[in-house]
Amino acid sequence: MNKKVGIIILVVLCIILLFIASGFAIQTSAYITDDFVVSEDGSEITFKVGVGSSMGYVRGYKDEGGGVKPHYLKFYSAWGGFNSSIGAKQEFVLELAPEDTEIYVYHGDGGYELALKRDVTSGEWNRIR
């Protein structure tokens, strides 16, 4: 009997671990959609994220740049497993500095790809395809 209880506890712990660990996985197929808005004062950009694969959702991102260098965004999968939507979001806000001109998105082994670029003459942000 004790052996069965031990196995059940081990299985439950593995399921909980998978649930938590999935939220720390990087979503390498995430991309910024055409649906983004820059605030009137230019201090932040609100953007939506899509996922290019048939499975997965995004729960958040980490900015590994900004300031005097471009923004380098890594998006993270939602909690709960490969195709779970627990904690998923589509819309995010990124603070911008006046000198910011580029936003990159991480795509795994392909590294970072330029997603949004600001035209320095007009100040307008454009999505790079």
Side-chain angles (χ1 to χ4, degrees), residues 11-14 22 33-34 37 46 67 78 83 92 100 110 119 129:
V11 168
V12 169
L13 287 175
C14 287
S22 66
T33 68
D34 288 334
V37 177
T46 303
N83 205 31
F92 299 94
D100 287 339
D119 184 322
R129 299 181 194 275

Side-chain angles (χ1 to χ4, degrees), residues 24-27 47 58-66 70-77 92-94 103-106 112:
F24 294 103
I26 296 170
Q27 182 56 267
F47 59 91
V58 174
R59 69 166 175 86
Y61 73 91
K62 181 178 180 185
D63 183 6
E64 297 181 336
H71 292 276
Y72 293 98
L73 308 182
K74 278 187 179 176
F75 292 96
Y76 291 92
S77 295
F92 299 94
V93 176
L94 175 66
I103 299 173
Y104 290 81
V105 174
Y106 184 70
Y112 288 92

Side-chain angles (χ1 to χ4, degrees), residues 1 3 6 13 15 19 62-63 75 81-82 85 90-92 99 110 112-113 121:
M1 185 71 169
K3 194 172 186 177
L13 287 175
I15 291 171
F19 179 87
K62 181 178 180 185
D63 183 6
F75 292 96
F82 297 114
S85 62
Q90 287 185 322
E91 189 171 281
F92 299 94
E99 61 273 0
Y112 288 92
E113 291 182 14
T121 56

Side-chain angles (χ1 to χ4, degrees), residues 2 4 16-19 21 25 50-52 55 60 76-77 82 94 96 98 102 108 114:
N2 285 341
K4 285 183 181 180
I16 291 170
L17 183 61
L18 175 66
F19 179 87
V51 176
M55 281 188 4
Y76 291 92
S77 295
F82 297 114
L94 175 66
L96 298 173
E102 297 175 328
L114 183 60

